């Protein structure tokens, strides 16, 4: 049997195996009690197990007295925005994000429209051992349907003050869009049409039948690359199934990589307004180059979008996110939002009147190497304890695991939150150097 993954970002498993309807109902009931039995907004991505999950989640919530508002198939940022803009006590996004079709999961949203802060997530997780206190028939929750979540989300994106909507519309961009048959089809084609684009849809039916590995990494986007070149499009956009990650293909039909979705957004927003960038410790150091260009700073947080969003709110940052294509534009909300990212990148393109490959080439390119070591769980902490000794000559950042800061390179060594593995990330000026540092680091650790 597969393992149910429980972490601050939610609970995830293979449906019918580690994640059963009983588990979904139990978690939802506890979340309802944790949310003081108030109104809960629920949305789901397009997975074929989504309706079964939705029914289990709704049964749990209503049975503890929560009213449930069903948004239907929507992006995760649509759920977050709906919670923020309503009087709801919380929300649940039923999605396993970039995981393959056999997975499903629940992401839990606080009343502020952000994922649960880590300390609150711990309180919630710790409450799961208690018996569920169901309500009687006279206090059972009500179910209603809200069909307009995506529409309101699009309106909010179009109101981003940095965008010159008329200028974008005049350009009539030709965009190939690959939503991997996830929830993206419910929002992205309409948003792009509202921005005057000619949209060529690839996998925009929200069937949950993923036609390629759904994580929007370069290696999974060959069809999109070919389609952009064949249609002579201005660019291609790809999203993961719950539409919080965005990847871009340039006009030559080449992926420019998820890191650049964030970097292009940073450049555009900083050209409009001044403020520090926030990103996580594992995202590209090109953010530091961009920050230097605009005379601002980069704040680095623990990995996990909630840490980035929280810090952005705290320091009033105008742009941030995660290098995995997760763009956070506070003018929409403090969570990763691929539709917002699309609008920002088109805004930048319209303004600069240059092909996207040129805009990407203006940003310094660094290269990642990523690897992981499977270790005996008993030895995990011992291995991590050796790291400061091994890298005694370097400056270390221990905000999240250990990050070794070198000259034009860094190494980030972290324990996984859910499995007995240690992840090693390296970034440097060349692919070869990064691979070599990554390999040498692993040799030193084991
Ligand atoms: Mg996702």
């Amino acid at each position: 049997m597969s393992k149910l993954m429980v972490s601050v970002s939610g609970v995830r498993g293979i449906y019918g195996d580690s994640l059963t309807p009983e588990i979904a109902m139990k978690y939802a009931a506890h979340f309802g009690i944790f949310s003081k039995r108030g109104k809960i907004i629920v949305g789901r991505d397009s997975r074929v197990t989504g309706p079964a999950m939705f029914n289990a989640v709704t049964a749990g919530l209503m049975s503890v007295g929560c009213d449930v508002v069903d948004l239907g198939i929507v992006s995760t940022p649509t759920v977050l925005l709906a919670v923020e803009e309503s009087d709801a006590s919380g929300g649940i996004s039923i999605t396993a994000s970039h995981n393959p079709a056999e997975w499903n999961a629940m992401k839990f949203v606080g009343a502020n429209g952000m994922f649960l802060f880590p300390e609150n997530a711990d309180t919630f997780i710790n409450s799961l051992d208690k018996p569920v206190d169901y309500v009687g028939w006279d206090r059972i929750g009500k179910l209603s349907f809200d069909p307009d979540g995506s529409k309101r989300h699009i309106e909010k994106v179009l109101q981003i003050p940095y965008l010159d909507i008329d200028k974008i519309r005049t350009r009539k961009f030709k965009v190939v869009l690959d939503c991997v048959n996830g929830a993206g089809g419910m929002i992205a084609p309409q948003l792009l049409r509202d921005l005057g684009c000619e949209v060529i849809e690839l996998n925009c039916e929200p069937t949950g039948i993923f036609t390629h590995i759904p994580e929007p990494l370069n290696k999974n986007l060959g069809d999109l690359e070919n389609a952009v070149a064949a249609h002579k499009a201005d660019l291609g956009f790809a999203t993961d199934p719950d539409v919080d990650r965005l990847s871009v293909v340039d006009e030559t039909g080449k992926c420019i990589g998820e890191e650049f979705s964030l970097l292009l957004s940073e450049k555009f927003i900083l050209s409009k307004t001044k403020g520090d960038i926030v990103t996580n410790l594992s995202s590209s150091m090109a953010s530091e180059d961009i920050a230097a260009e605009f005379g601002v700073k980069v704040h680095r947080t623990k990995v996990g979008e909630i840490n980035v969003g929280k810090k952005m709110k705290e320091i009033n940052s105008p742009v941030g996110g995660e290098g995995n294509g997760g763009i956070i534009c506070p003018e929409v909300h403090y969570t990763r939002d691929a539709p917002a990212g699309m609008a920002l990148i088109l805004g930048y393109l319209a303004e600069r009147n240059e092909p996207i490959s040129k805009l990407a080439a203006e940003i310094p390119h660094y290269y990642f190497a990523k690897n992981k070591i499977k270790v005996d769980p008993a030895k995990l902490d011992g291995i991590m304890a050796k790291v400061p000794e091994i890298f005694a000559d370097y400056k270390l950042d221990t905000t999240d695991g250990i990050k070794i800061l070198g000259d034009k390179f860094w190494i980030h060594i972290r324990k996984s939150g859910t499995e007995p593995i240690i992840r090693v990330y390296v970034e440097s000026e060349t692919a070869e150097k990064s691979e070599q540092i990554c390999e040498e680091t692993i040799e030193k650790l084991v």
Side-chain angles (χ1 to χ4, degrees):
M1 195 175 129
S2 61
K3 194 168 161 268
L4 186 71
M5 314 272 200
V6 182
S7 71
V8 290
S9 51
V11 52
R12 175 164 61 101
I14 292 179
Y15 189 78
D17 187 42
S18 50
L19 179 59
T20 60
E22 290 95 326
I23 290 173
M25 192 172 81
K26 180 182 126 177
Y27 273 75
H30 278 288
F31 182 68
I33 295 168
F34 172 80
S35 306
K36 307 204 163 38
R37 303 179 199 262
K39 188 201 289 176
I40 304 292
I41 295 179
V42 182
R44 59 184 171 90
D45 73 13
S46 62
R47 282 162 208 274
V48 295
T49 57
M53 278 289 288
F54 173 78
N55 282 299
V57 163
T58 304
L61 289 169
M62 291 169 74
S63 303
V64 297
C66 293
D67 287 343
V68 175
V69 179
D70 172 18
L71 292 179
I73 297 178
V74 290
S75 75
T76 291
T78 305
V79 177
L80 291 154
L81 190 65
V83 174
E84 185 182 342
E85 296 197 327
S86 73
D87 59 352
S89 304
I92 299 179
S93 184
I94 300 170
T95 173
S97 192
H98 58 275
N99 290 99
E102 61 270 31
W103 290 82
N104 214 327
M106 287 173 273
K107 294 182 176 180
F108 298 99
V109 182
N112 61 355
M114 292 171 75
F115 290 117
L116 296 186
F117 289 171
E119 57 274 25
N120 296 340
D122 284 343
T123 311
F124 166 52
I125 290 166
N126 291 334
S127 76
L128 291 162
D129 297 332
K130 292 184 197 153
V132 176
D133 179 19
Y134 291 113
V135 297
W137 69 273
D138 54 339
R139 286 172 56 210
I140 199 116
K142 294 183 191 66
L143 174 64
S144 60
F145 185 63
D146 174 2
D148 295 326
S150 298
K151 199 173 139 209
R152 291 194 305 271
H153 187 177
I154 289 174
E155 280 164 13
K156 185 95 186 190
V157 170
L158 294 175
Q159 283 163 15
I160 296 174
Y162 317 124
L163 300 175
D164 184 336
I165 302 285
D166 289 338
K167 200 181 247 178
I168 300 173
R169 285 181 180 149
T170 313
R171 291 289 306 274
K172 295 188 169 59
F173 291 115
K174 192 193 256 192
V175 182
V176 187
L177 174 66
D178 182 353
C179 296
V180 70
N181 290 337
M186 303 302 286
I187 183 165
Q190 186 60 49
L191 170 70
L192 294 174
R193 278 187 209 107
D194 286 351
L195 288 168
C197 300
E198 180 190 336
V199 186
I200 296 143
E201 298 184 19
L202 280 191
N203 311 314
C204 287
E205 289 297 319
T207 58
I209 308 297
F210 304 146
T211 43
H212 56 78
I213 298 172
E215 191 165 18
L217 301 175
N218 294 3
K219 62 181 182 191
N220 301 327
L221 300 177
D223 290 347
L224 177 62
E225 290 184 320
N226 293 337
V228 170
H231 288 279
K232 297 191 168 34
D234 292 292
L235 78 170
F237 282 132
T239 65
D240 72 330
D242 72 326
V243 213
D244 51 9
R245 286 172 61 175
L246 177 67
S247 202
V248 180
V249 170
D250 74 15
E251 77 287 354
T252 70
K254 191 168 156 280
C255 279
I256 61 176
E258 283 188 298
E259 291 283 339
F260 280 80
S261 314
L262 174 60
L263 299 170
L264 289 165
S265 303
E266 287 173 356
K267 278 200 86 165
F268 178 54
I269 291 185
L270 290 180
S271 73
K272 299 285 174 187
T273 187
K274 213 169 168 179
D276 289 351
I277 296 170
V278 182
T279 186
N280 70 36
L281 284 162
S282 280
S283 299
S284 176
M285 55 188 168
S287 281
E288 270 79 2
D289 296 310
I290 292 171
E293 191 183 327
F294 291 96
V296 299
K297 272 183 20 190
V298 180
H299 298 254
R300 296 269 175 182
T301 71
K302 278 187 172 188
V303 174
E305 76 163 283
I306 186 60
N307 301 309
V308 179
K310 208 176 157 188
K311 185 72 184 176
M312 287 178 73
K313 213 171 175 176
E314 201 183 298
I315 66 162
N316 201 17
S317 159
V319 62
E322 297 197 294
N324 58 7
I327 296 145
I328 301 179
C329 174
E331 300 288 348
V332 181
H333 50 176
Y334 284 97
T335 56
R336 297 182 307 172
D337 189 316
M342 290 179 191
L344 292 169
I345 289 168
L346 291 175
Y348 191 36
L349 263 185
E351 195 128 309
R352 290 288 311 276
N353 209 3
E354 299 275 8
I356 186 124
S357 61
K358 168 111 194 303
L359 302 185
E362 290 173 358
I363 297 171
H365 277 55
Y366 299 108
Y367 297 85
F368 283 97
K370 299 182 180 184
N371 212 333
K372 54 188 176 189
I373 338 167
K374 217 172 171 148
V375 291
D376 177 350
K379 292 190 182 151
L380 217 140
D381 288 327
I383 294 174
M384 289 303 289
K386 283 200 308 195
V387 176
E389 267 171 60
I390 300 171
F391 296 98
D393 297 339
Y394 292 89
K395 199 177 155 203
L396 304 180
D397 181 334
T398 55
T399 310
D400 186 6
I402 302 172
K403 187 171 177 181
I404 296 112
L405 299 158
D407 182 22
K408 289 280 171 197
F409 78 92
W410 54 259
I411 309 165
H412 193 189
I413 304 171
R414 291 171 66 224
K415 286 194 295 187
S416 159
T418 48
E419 303 158 86
I421 59 175
I422 291 177
R423 297 181 197 282
V424 179
Y425 288 5
V426 177
E427 189 184 33
S428 81
E429 285 168 303
T430 69
E432 298 72 32
K433 186 175 165 189
S434 295
E435 288 298 341
Q436 192 195 339
I437 295 173
C438 196
E439 227 169 84
E440 286 170 6
T441 304
I442 287 175
E443 274 167 27
K444 284 175 195 159
L445 292 179
V446 292

